[in-house]
Amino acid sequence: PVFNEYGSAEIGVIGFKRGVDVAWETCNNLLYIEVLNEKGEPVPVGETGLLTFTHLYNKATPLIRYQTGDIGSVCIDESDRVYICSLKGRIGDVLHLSNGKMVPTFTFYYVIKDLISKGAQINEFMIEQMEDDSFVLLYVAEQDFCENLEMQLRKIFDQYISPDYHVSTRRVDVIERGSNGKFRQFISLKTVKP
């Protein structure tokens, strides 16, 4: 069988699952898992918040209420075993739309995956949010998108994000990495209103 593993370099293995529509089984005997709101307060079971971990047996470097930056929710079964029910993305990687909807930015991965299945040849991509309702898809490829791919992108964007938003494309030679050397698939450049 094939298992998906969820973890971090600092914590180690946090959970695993087999299959798509199942919760992550967690290492309950090694970790105490909490879900906190932006004020650091616990949220009710099943609600989304910041996943927070306390490693129960790490004697060298105790990690108490360590936050990886991942957003998700937990559920508890009848024997009080904690499962991670959902992983929504990273704290800095959630898109807040003007209609109040929150969209995990890894959604853009599925937008691009769908576009590639329709014939797009993309080596790398980044989505830039210019304003609340305006996005630019930067992509590295041998050639510009044809008109058909532009239309397909619009349909896919409508399906995954919303039909109320504008998306344009721009082919580039290279997509710059951040100052930390990491590659991000989404970045917001929108003007923050006071």
Side-chain angles (χ1 to χ4, degrees), residues 19-51:
V20 177
D21 297 325
V22 295
W24 296 88
E25 293 185 42
T26 61
C27 302
N28 284 258
N29 57 339
L30 297 176
L31 297 170
Y32 179 71
I33 303 172
E34 301 173 272
V35 182
L36 306 177
N37 64 20
E38 60 278 351
K39 296 177 184 174
E41 302 163 340
V43 302
V45 171
E47 286 192 20
T48 301
L50 191 58
L51 293 174

Short mmCIF file of all heavy atoms in Angstrom, two decimals, residues 19-51:
data_model
loop_
_atom_site.label_atom_id
_atom_site.label_comp_id
_atom_site.label_asym_id
_atom_site.label_seq_id
_atom_site.Cartn_x
_atom_site.Cartn_y
_atom_site.Cartn_z
N GLY A 19 -5.14 6.83 1.12
CA GLY A 19 -6.36 7.22 0.44
C GLY A 19 -6.53 8.72 0.45
O GLY A 19 -5.85 9.44 1.16
N VAL A 20 -7.47 9.19 -0.36
CA VAL A 20 -7.66 10.62 -0.54
C VAL A 20 -8.66 11.19 0.46
O VAL A 20 -8.43 12.23 1.06
CB VAL A 20 -8.13 10.92 -1.99
CG1 VAL A 20 -8.40 12.39 -2.18
CG2 VAL A 20 -7.10 10.42 -2.98
N ASP A 21 -9.78 10.53 0.66
CA ASP A 21 -10.86 11.08 1.46
C ASP A 21 -10.87 10.57 2.89
O ASP A 21 -11.92 10.29 3.45
CB ASP A 21 -12.21 10.79 0.79
CG ASP A 21 -12.32 11.46 -0.57
OD1 ASP A 21 -11.79 12.57 -0.70
OD2 ASP A 21 -12.93 10.87 -1.47
N VAL A 22 -9.69 10.44 3.49
CA VAL A 22 -9.60 9.99 4.87
C VAL A 22 -8.80 11.01 5.67
O VAL A 22 -8.01 11.77 5.12
CB VAL A 22 -8.95 8.59 4.98
CG1 VAL A 22 -9.80 7.54 4.32
CG2 VAL A 22 -7.55 8.58 4.40
N ALA A 23 -9.01 11.01 6.98
CA ALA A 23 -8.27 11.91 7.86
C ALA A 23 -6.85 11.39 8.07
O ALA A 23 -6.57 10.21 7.88
CB ALA A 23 -9.00 12.04 9.19
N TRP A 24 -5.97 12.30 8.47
CA TRP A 24 -4.59 11.93 8.79
C TRP A 24 -4.56 11.30 10.17
O TRP A 24 -4.95 11.92 11.15
CB TRP A 24 -3.71 13.18 8.79
CG TRP A 24 -3.58 13.86 7.48
CD1 TRP A 24 -4.41 14.82 6.97
CD2 TRP A 24 -2.58 13.64 6.50
NE1 TRP A 24 -3.96 15.20 5.73
CE2 TRP A 24 -2.84 14.51 5.42
CE3 TRP A 24 -1.46 12.80 6.43
CZ2 TRP A 24 -2.05 14.56 4.29
CZ3 TRP A 24 -0.67 12.87 5.30
CH2 TRP A 24 -0.96 13.73 4.26
N GLU A 25 -4.08 10.05 10.26
CA GLU A 25 -3.86 9.43 11.55
C GLU A 25 -2.62 10.07 12.16
O GLU A 25 -1.58 10.15 11.51
CB GLU A 25 -3.66 7.92 11.40
CG GLU A 25 -4.90 7.21 10.93
CD GLU A 25 -4.72 5.70 10.89
OE1 GLU A 25 -4.11 5.15 11.85
OE2 GLU A 25 -5.17 5.10 9.92
N THR A 26 -2.74 10.52 13.39
CA THR A 26 -1.63 11.23 14.01
C THR A 26 -0.91 10.35 15.02
O THR A 26 -1.43 9.33 15.45
CB THR A 26 -2.11 12.52 14.70
OG1 THR A 26 -3.03 12.17 15.73
CG2 THR A 26 -2.77 13.46 13.71
N CYS A 27 0.26 10.78 15.40
CA CYS A 27 1.08 10.06 16.38
C CYS A 27 0.69 10.56 17.77
O CYS A 27 1.42 11.32 18.40
CB CYS A 27 2.56 10.30 16.09
SG CYS A 27 3.04 9.81 14.42
N ASN A 28 -0.49 10.14 18.24
CA ASN A 28 -1.04 10.63 19.51
C ASN A 28 -0.14 10.35 20.70
O ASN A 28 -0.17 11.09 21.69
CB ASN A 28 -2.42 10.01 19.74
CG ASN A 28 -3.48 10.65 18.88
OD1 ASN A 28 -4.25 11.47 19.36
ND2 ASN A 28 -3.54 10.30 17.61
N ASN A 29 0.62 9.30 20.66
CA ASN A 29 1.49 8.99 21.79
C ASN A 29 2.77 9.84 21.79
O ASN A 29 3.50 9.86 22.77
CB ASN A 29 1.84 7.50 21.82
CG ASN A 29 2.49 7.03 20.54
OD1 ASN A 29 2.35 7.67 19.50
ND2 ASN A 29 3.20 5.92 20.60
N LEU A 30 3.05 10.55 20.70
CA LEU A 30 4.24 11.39 20.61
C LEU A 30 3.93 12.89 20.63
O LEU A 30 4.79 13.69 20.98
CB LEU A 30 5.03 11.09 19.34
CG LEU A 30 5.59 9.69 19.19
CD1 LEU A 30 6.26 9.54 17.84
CD2 LEU A 30 6.58 9.39 20.31
N LEU A 31 2.71 13.24 20.21
CA LEU A 31 2.36 14.65 20.01
C LEU A 31 1.05 15.02 20.68
O LEU A 31 0.11 14.22 20.70
CB LEU A 31 2.21 14.97 18.52
CG LEU A 31 3.41 14.83 17.63
CD1 LEU A 31 2.99 14.96 16.17
CD2 LEU A 31 4.45 15.88 17.97
N TYR A 32 1.01 16.22 21.20
CA TYR A 32 -0.25 16.82 21.64
C TYR A 32 -0.58 17.86 20.59
O TYR A 32 0.24 18.75 20.31
CB TYR A 32 -0.10 17.45 23.03
CG TYR A 32 -1.36 18.10 23.51
CD1 TYR A 32 -2.46 17.33 23.89
CD2 TYR A 32 -1.46 19.48 23.58
CE1 TYR A 32 -3.64 17.94 24.33
CE2 TYR A 32 -2.62 20.10 24.03
CZ TYR A 32 -3.70 19.31 24.39
OH TYR A 32 -4.86 19.91 24.81
N ILE A 33 -1.75 17.74 19.96
CA ILE A 33 -2.11 18.60 18.84
C ILE A 33 -3.25 19.52 19.25
O ILE A 33 -4.26 19.07 19.79
CB ILE A 33 -2.53 17.77 17.60
CG1 ILE A 33 -1.38 16.83 17.22
CG2 ILE A 33 -2.92 18.68 16.46
CD1 ILE A 33 -1.75 15.83 16.14
N GLU A 34 -3.07 20.82 18.96
CA GLU A 34 -4.10 21.82 19.22
C GLU A 34 -4.37 22.58 17.92
O GLU A 34 -3.50 22.67 17.06
CB GLU A 34 -3.65 22.83 20.27
CG GLU A 34 -3.29 22.25 21.61
CD GLU A 34 -2.71 23.30 22.52
OE1 GLU A 34 -1.47 23.48 22.47
OE2 GLU A 34 -3.47 23.95 23.26
N VAL A 35 -5.57 23.15 17.83
CA VAL A 35 -5.90 24.07 16.75
C VAL A 35 -6.27 25.39 17.40
O VAL A 35 -7.18 25.45 18.22
CB VAL A 35 -7.06 23.53 15.88
CG1 VAL A 35 -7.34 24.48 14.73
CG2 VAL A 35 -6.74 22.14 15.35
N LEU A 36 -5.51 26.44 17.06
CA LEU A 36 -5.67 27.74 17.71
C LEU A 36 -6.13 28.80 16.72
O LEU A 36 -5.82 28.73 15.53
CB LEU A 36 -4.35 28.17 18.35
CG LEU A 36 -3.69 27.18 19.32
CD1 LEU A 36 -2.36 27.73 19.81
CD2 LEU A 36 -4.61 26.86 20.47
N ASN A 37 -6.82 29.82 17.23
CA ASN A 37 -7.19 30.95 16.40
C ASN A 37 -6.04 31.96 16.38
O ASN A 37 -4.99 31.72 16.98
CB ASN A 37 -8.51 31.57 16.86
CG ASN A 37 -8.43 32.16 18.27
OD1 ASN A 37 -7.35 32.46 18.79
ND2 ASN A 37 -9.59 32.32 18.90
N GLU A 38 -6.26 33.11 15.73
CA GLU A 38 -5.19 34.10 15.59
C GLU A 38 -4.80 34.73 16.93
O GLU A 38 -3.74 35.34 17.04
CB GLU A 38 -5.57 35.18 14.57
CG GLU A 38 -6.82 35.96 14.89
CD GLU A 38 -8.13 35.27 14.49
OE1 GLU A 38 -8.08 34.24 13.80
OE2 GLU A 38 -9.19 35.75 14.89
N LYS A 39 -5.63 34.57 17.97
CA LYS A 39 -5.30 35.09 19.30
C LYS A 39 -4.59 34.05 20.17
O LYS A 39 -4.29 34.30 21.33
CB LYS A 39 -6.57 35.55 20.01
CG LYS A 39 -7.27 36.71 19.33
CD LYS A 39 -8.55 37.04 20.05
CE LYS A 39 -9.30 38.13 19.31
NZ LYS A 39 -10.62 38.37 19.92
N GLY A 40 -4.37 32.85 19.61
CA GLY A 40 -3.72 31.79 20.37
C GLY A 40 -4.67 31.00 21.25
O GLY A 40 -4.23 30.26 22.13
N GLU A 41 -5.98 31.14 20.99
CA GLU A 41 -6.98 30.43 21.78
C GLU A 41 -7.45 29.19 21.03
O GLU A 41 -7.58 29.22 19.80
CB GLU A 41 -8.18 31.34 22.04
CG GLU A 41 -7.82 32.63 22.77
CD GLU A 41 -8.89 33.69 22.66
OE1 GLU A 41 -9.75 33.62 21.74
OE2 GLU A 41 -8.87 34.61 23.48
N PRO A 42 -7.72 28.09 21.75
CA PRO A 42 -8.22 26.87 21.08
C PRO A 42 -9.56 27.11 20.40
O PRO A 42 -10.40 27.86 20.92
CB PRO A 42 -8.37 25.87 22.24
CG PRO A 42 -7.50 26.40 23.33
CD PRO A 42 -7.51 27.90 23.18
N VAL A 43 -9.75 26.50 19.24
CA VAL A 43 -11.03 26.56 18.54
C VAL A 43 -11.76 25.24 18.77
O VAL A 43 -11.14 24.24 19.11
CB VAL A 43 -10.85 26.84 17.03
CG1 VAL A 43 -10.10 28.15 16.80
CG2 VAL A 43 -10.14 25.70 16.33
N PRO A 44 -13.09 25.22 18.62
CA PRO A 44 -13.83 23.96 18.79
C PRO A 44 -13.36 22.89 17.79
O PRO A 44 -12.93 23.21 16.68
CB PRO A 44 -15.28 24.37 18.52
CG PRO A 44 -15.33 25.84 18.79
CD PRO A 44 -13.98 26.35 18.39
N VAL A 45 -13.47 21.64 18.21
CA VAL A 45 -13.10 20.51 17.35
C VAL A 45 -13.86 20.62 16.03
O VAL A 45 -15.06 20.89 16.02
CB VAL A 45 -13.41 19.16 18.05
CG1 VAL A 45 -13.22 18.00 17.09
CG2 VAL A 45 -12.52 19.00 19.27
N GLY A 46 -13.14 20.44 14.92
CA GLY A 46 -13.75 20.51 13.60
C GLY A 46 -13.62 21.87 12.93
O GLY A 46 -13.76 21.98 11.72
N GLU A 47 -13.33 22.92 13.71
CA GLU A 47 -13.14 24.24 13.12
C GLU A 47 -11.69 24.41 12.68
O GLU A 47 -10.78 23.83 13.25
CB GLU A 47 -13.52 25.34 14.11
CG GLU A 47 -15.02 25.47 14.29
CD GLU A 47 -15.40 26.73 15.03
OE1 GLU A 47 -14.60 27.69 15.11
OE2 GLU A 47 -16.54 26.75 15.55
N THR A 48 -11.51 25.25 11.68
CA THR A 48 -10.18 25.48 11.11
C THR A 48 -9.42 26.53 11.91
O THR A 48 -9.99 27.51 12.37
CB THR A 48 -10.33 25.94 9.64
OG1 THR A 48 -11.02 24.92 8.93
CG2 THR A 48 -8.99 26.19 8.99
N GLY A 49 -8.13 26.28 12.06
CA GLY A 49 -7.25 27.23 12.73
C GLY A 49 -5.80 26.84 12.50
O GLY A 49 -5.49 26.03 11.63
N LEU A 50 -4.92 27.41 13.29
CA LEU A 50 -3.48 27.18 13.15
C LEU A 50 -3.10 25.90 13.90
O LEU A 50 -3.29 25.80 15.12
CB LEU A 50 -2.72 28.37 13.72
CG LEU A 50 -1.23 28.45 13.45
CD1 LEU A 50 -0.92 28.44 11.95
CD2 LEU A 50 -0.66 29.71 14.07
N LEU A 51 -2.59 24.91 13.18
CA LEU A 51 -2.18 23.65 13.80
C LEU A 51 -0.96 23.92 14.69
O LEU A 51 0.01 24.56 14.27
CB LEU A 51 -1.84 22.61 12.74
CG LEU A 51 -3.03 22.12 11.91
CD1 LEU A 51 -2.56 21.19 10.80
CD2 LEU A 51 -4.06 21.42 12.77
#
